[in-house]
Amino acid sequence: QVQPVESGGGLVQAGGSLRLSCAASGGTFSRYAMGWFRQTPGKERVFVADINRSGTTYYADAVKGRFTISRDNAKNTVYLQMNSLKPEDTAVYYCAARNPLSTRGSRASYNYWGQGTQVTVSS
């Protein structure tokens, strides 16, 4: 099974950019579709972006046009480039892996989760 580990979170001003990374170990990374979710205190974890094995991407409406998900199978890593950040993007961001035949964007589809990385956007 694959084990994702996120990095790259931090504090940024509104309008700025951050790039999150998720390194996956312990399994065959290229077999999995990968996704990013985010969660704020007291709220459910919500979908942000997904990329399948062939590189097809899918985004939540809230981040479409601002965030870009990509993957490098040679490095077993998936990225989330976040531009034009807003204070409402503040959250803990989680990386997760799913069976490529499962439904993208549904939290229940993702079997393997990282520990999360904090992103804080100041106004």
Side-chain angles (χ1 to χ4, degrees):
Q1 63 186 38
V2 65
Q3 179 58 54
V5 178
E6 305 92 339
S7 62
L11 174 65
V12 63
Q13 288 189 332
S17 298
L18 275 177
R19 188 177 80 157
L20 305 183
S21 298
C22 172
S25 62
T28 305
F29 175 78
S30 61
R31 292 182 180 176
Y32 294 90
M34 301 296 295
W36 287 95
F37 285 71
R38 65 187 182 186
Q39 187 172 22
T40 54
K43 295 189 177 181
E44 292 189 353
R45 196 171 298 184
V46 297
F47 171 74
V48 174
D50 181 276
I51 186 166
N52 70 8
R53 293 183 298 176
S54 62
T56 300
T57 58
Y58 176 61
Y59 297 95
D61 287 344
V63 306
K64 202 172 294 183
R66 299 188 298 122
F67 290 12
T68 302
I69 187 171
S70 61
R71 65 190 296 161
D72 185 337
N73 288 339
K75 295 183 178 180
N76 290 352
T77 300
V78 62
Y79 304 97
L80 186 68
Q81 177 67 44
M82 305 185 294
N83 299 329
S84 302
L85 282 162
K86 306 174 181 180
E88 51 264 43
D89 294 318
T90 295
V92 177
Y93 282 72
Y94 296 89
C95 176
R98 66 173 176 88
N99 182 305
L101 299 180
S102 62
T103 303
R104 64 184 183 182
S106 171
R107 182 178 171 182
S109 295
Y110 298 80
N111 304 109
Y112 308 106
W113 293 84
Q115 293 301 307
T117 185
Q118 176 70 46
V119 171
T120 302
V121 184
S122 63
S123 58

